[in-house]
Amino acid sequence: MPAAGFVAPGGVEFEARITPYVIITCIMAASGGLMFGYDIGISGGVTSMNDFLEKFFPVVYRKKNEIQDNNTYCKYDNQGLQLFTSSLYLAGLIATFFASYTTRVWGRKPTMLIAGILFLIGVVLNAVAQDLAMLIIGRIMLGCGVGFANQAVPLFLSEIAPTRIRGGLNILFQLNITIGILFANLVNYGTEKITPWGWRLSLGLAAIPALLLTVGSIFIVETPNSLIERGLLEEGRVVLRKIRGTDNVDPEFNELVEASRIAASVKHPFRNLLKRRNRPQLIITMCLQFFQQFTGINAIMFYAPVLFQTLGFKNDASLYSSVITGAVNVVSTLVSIYSVDKVGRRVLLLEAGVQIFVSQVIIGILLATGLKEDEDISKGMAIVIVLMVCTFVSAFAWSWGPLAWLIPSETFPLETRSAGQSVTVCVNLFFTFVIAQAFLSMLCHFKYGIFLFFAGLVLIMSTFVLFLLPETKNVPIEEMTEKVWRQHWLWKKYVTDSDLIDDEDGDAYANQETGKDNVKAYHNSQL
Ligand code: BGC
């Protein structure tokens, strides 16, 4: 592949090729994202399968099959059933704290290996589960795997990829999540017909992405950033040569060494995060994660088959409807990759706000007027509902899906970068857990109103975007303060000169001012 020189924001030209190592990295990203996506997509189908319910949740099974209860909103309302889905995200959330330690102290590569192994243990426990305890412990192990993988894989990717493809790779990870979800939907569609052990196959096939990650993490290289951070300078230089496909790596190497020195001088990253000058990014990150989950997307991703059955679809129809929404999710993510740097983040989020609002209100109204307690749903109405769900999913996939991950990754400055990333992952998994645990109960109590509830929240989040989320398209990270925060009617109050200087922990910040090029290189290396 041709060598490509590119100008780094620091003004230094680094040489880099798209080498085989970089290609292997993409495959790694695929397996990390696939693993996460597969988990998101598999549980809904499995929890709608009769054999599975009869074995682990007999109460739900009986409720589901009582004819007179056919169309009620409450047939899946069971805390244990929701715990089956949600336990994974709670475990993932807790694992993130350990993963941030192993990622820093042991490196990215061992952390990914740990992720793969934990995940494989979870897969085995799930596939051979004899009782609910085994099932839930298996889910917890899977969650730990996801926590470790989600911390290490994106970091690994951003460090190993040449700068010019870093932004695209960020959304590529999301694309792989959506492919994982679709793969899981397809598997469920096939295994539902295999009775009585189809669900075991569904849960067991999660081993495919997990094996890819485990085996992959044995063969890949450690990132130069991690080696240098841990004092292994020469090893770092060798790896840099390998992945860049050239011997001329000194400029990049020197910048990495300097960036790692600066990063090491930040004594209290989490305390730093709470400083006034970091308030805009912190608030925006937390809101983005909260809003992403409260679009209601995971009501669809986790529970689409259950939801469609609740609405009166037959087993088969509900599973293939989930396949359709899964495919729409993948294709629409491609739209985002193509347009995010052209039309910008705000346009995508605002357009999606309108689209999500309209589709949810239509679903709510249709259900309120058309769904009768003891009748099957009409064919016409079923089609309109699936269409509206697709409209919703597509809007999410080019907006809140990738952008809730992308925007925090491009706004946190050096001093709070890794702490900021941990907060992003934790807040996301926390709200994912909340939705997984609460959705079926909310559906039972709010009935069709659940969609109006989400629609109301979409109005709030769009207002947030309109007034509080500045555009970050094409702004170099090191210029965020000047070009973004200082230009914003509200956030500029948090980045006054005295906010920027007043810093008892501020070695790093002072260094940023005097050694901007180094900081630029560090930002660069982190994205
Ligand atoms: C979200 C997941 C969601 C997925 C759907 C991701 O960005 O974090 O919770 O299930 O998108 O594609």
Side-chain angles (χ1 to χ4, degrees):
M1 249 161 271
F6 64 93
V7 182
V12 186
E13 182 143 345
F14 300 144
E15 212 180 291
R17 292 160 186 266
I18 310 272
T19 60
Y21 280 108
V22 170
I23 291 169
I24 291 173
T25 295
C26 292
I27 297 169
M28 289 290 308
S31 53
L34 281 178
M35 207 167 89
F36 185 40
Y38 191 87
D39 276 321
I40 292 173
I42 205 71
S43 48
V46 168
T47 49
S48 73
M49 288 180 197
N50 284 331
D51 294 321
F52 176 83
L53 286 176
E54 196 178 2
K55 186 164 175 65
F56 298 107
F57 301 96
V59 178
V60 183
Y61 177 71
R62 274 197 303 278
K63 233 200 229 179
K64 178 185 168 191
N65 290 301
E66 280 166 14
I67 306 297
Q68 67 275 28
D69 223 6
N70 200 26
N71 272 331
T72 58
Y73 289 94
C74 297
K75 57 187 167 193
Y76 288 100
D77 176 21
N78 178 287
Q79 291 301 317
L81 191 65
Q82 294 179 97
L83 191 64
F84 167 73
T85 300
S86 71
S87 51
L88 190 151
Y89 302 94
L90 196 57
L93 191 163
I94 295 164
T96 311
F97 292 104
F98 295 97
S100 98
Y101 174 84
T102 59
T103 311
R104 193 162 35 87
V105 180
W106 297 350
R108 294 34 167 162
K109 189 174 138 101
T111 305
M112 283 188 275
L113 183 61
I114 297 173
I117 293 172
L118 287 172
F119 201 89
L120 281 173
I121 298 173
V123 171
V124 172
L125 282 174
N126 267 192
V128 303
Q130 294 305 321
D131 52 30
L132 192 57
M134 244 174 124
L135 203 61
I136 301 286
I137 294 172
R139 290 288 286 177
I140 291 174
M141 298 303 282
L142 295 181
C144 293
V146 165
F148 276 79
N150 280 15
Q151 181 84 9
V153 174
L155 201 64
F156 178 91
L157 280 177
S158 60
E159 289 176 344
I160 220 149
T163 307
R164 66 187 187 284
I165 58 169
R166 270 183 196 133
L169 268 184
N170 191 303
I171 299 189
L172 199 63
F173 187 67
Q174 168 76 14
L175 181 68
N176 291 319
I177 296 178
T178 62
I179 294 173
I181 296 175
L182 176 61
F183 177 44
N185 293 156
L186 284 166
V187 167
N188 278 338
Y189 185 56
T191 58
E192 198 253 343
K193 294 162 196 71
I194 308 174
T195 177
W197 51 271
W199 62 271
R200 291 191 190 276
L201 193 57
S202 282
L203 297 178
L205 283 174
I208 296 178
L211 271 175
L212 276 175
L213 182 67
T214 312
V215 176
S217 67
I218 295 171
F219 289 107
I220 53 154
V221 286
E222 182 56 278
T223 70
N225 313 51
S226 173
L227 292 166
I228 293 167
E229 195 179 10
R230 289 178 288 131
L232 303 167
L233 298 190
E234 266 326 294
E235 286 88 334
R237 191 196 296 272
V238 171
V239 168
L240 199 58
R241 283 195 187 123
K242 256 191 196 167
I243 60 173
R244 297 292 178 246
T246 168
D247 282 344
N248 180 22
V249 293
D250 282 357
E252 189 174 0
F253 176 77
N254 292 338
E255 296 223 357
L256 285 179
V257 172
E258 187 55 18
S260 121
R261 189 185 65 73
I262 294 172
S265 71
V266 180
K267 309 250 169 9
H268 306 288
F270 281 96
R271 204 197 291 166
N272 242 313
L273 201 57
L274 298 175
K275 293 235 160 80
R276 196 177 147 83
R277 64 165 179 270
N278 292 316
R279 211 59 56 78
Q281 296 91 330
L282 187 61
I283 293 175
I284 285 177
T285 289
M286 295 176 73
C287 288
L288 285 179
Q289 301 308 325
F290 169 76
F291 288 148
Q292 187 203 56
Q293 289 306 310
F294 276 83
T295 53
I297 188 66
N298 281 327
I300 307 294
M301 294 302 140
F302 294 153
Y303 296 122
V306 169
L307 181 70
F308 288 134
Q309 283 204 12
T310 301
L311 303 183
F313 287 38
K314 299 269 170 280
N315 258 17
D316 204 39
S318 69
L319 285 172
Y320 73 68
S321 302
S322 313
V323 172
I324 296 174
T325 53
V328 167
N329 195 15
V330 175
V331 174
S332 307
T333 306
L334 293 171
V335 174
S336 194
I337 293 181
Y338 177 76
S339 57
V340 69
D341 290 321
K342 297 194 171 68
V343 302
R345 287 76 170 135
R346 280 169 56 87
V347 169
L348 285 176
L349 287 165
L350 290 171
E351 185 283 332
V354 176
Q355 200 172 315
I356 297 176
F357 179 80
V358 171
S359 49
Q360 286 180 338
V361 169
I362 293 179
I363 297 175
I365 293 174
L366 279 178
L367 296 188
T369 54
L371 192 63
K372 302 279 176 317
E373 285 286 311
D374 44 10
E375 280 171 25
D376 273 352
I377 191 167
S378 77
K379 192 147 187 231
M381 183 154 138
I383 292 174
V384 179
I385 287 178
V386 173
L387 261 177
M388 285 301 115
V389 171
C390 288
T391 311
F392 164 33
V393 169
S394 64
F396 174 89
W398 61 61
S399 63
W400 289 97
L403 300 185
W405 296 110
L406 178 66
I407 294 171
S409 83
E410 61 187 12
T411 50
F412 275 113
L414 160 71
E415 50 168 2
T416 49
R417 183 161 184 87
S418 69
Q421 191 58 30
S422 304
V423 169
T424 306
V425 177
C426 280
V427 177
N428 183 276
L429 290 180
F430 175 73
F431 288 114
T432 309
F433 162 76
V434 170
I435 291 285
Q437 186 62 35
F439 175 69
L440 296 178
S441 304
M442 286 164 80
L443 181 67
C444 170
H445 295 295
F446 291 12
K447 304 194 166 52
Y448 59 85
I450 184 84
F451 293 99
L452 303 179
F453 167 77
F454 285 134
L457 278 164
V458 168
L459 277 188
I460 297 175
M461 59 189 84
S462 298
T463 312
F464 173 88
V465 172
L466 197 58
F467 294 109
L468 296 176
L469 186 78
E471 180 58 65
T472 47
K473 172 186 83 165
N474 294 340
V475 182
I477 296 162
E478 71 279 6
E479 290 169 26
M480 284 289 165
T481 305
E482 282 309 317
K483 291 205 168 143
V484 174
W485 309 120
R486 286 203 168 187
Q487 309 300 326
H488 190 269
W489 67 274
L490 174 67
W491 302 128
K492 69 178 174 202
K493 299 188 183 132
Y494 293 87
V495 288
T496 60
D497 286 339
S498 62
D499 291 317
L500 297 181
I501 296 162
D502 170 29
D503 187 21
E504 77 318 312
D505 191 28
D507 259 14
Y509 198 79
N511 277 333
Q512 280 189 47
E513 290 304 295
T514 53
K516 269 204 161 136
D517 283 359
N518 297 329
V519 177
K520 285 170 187 173
Y522 181 81
H523 282 319
N524 219 20
S525 71
Q526 293 292 295
L527 249 201

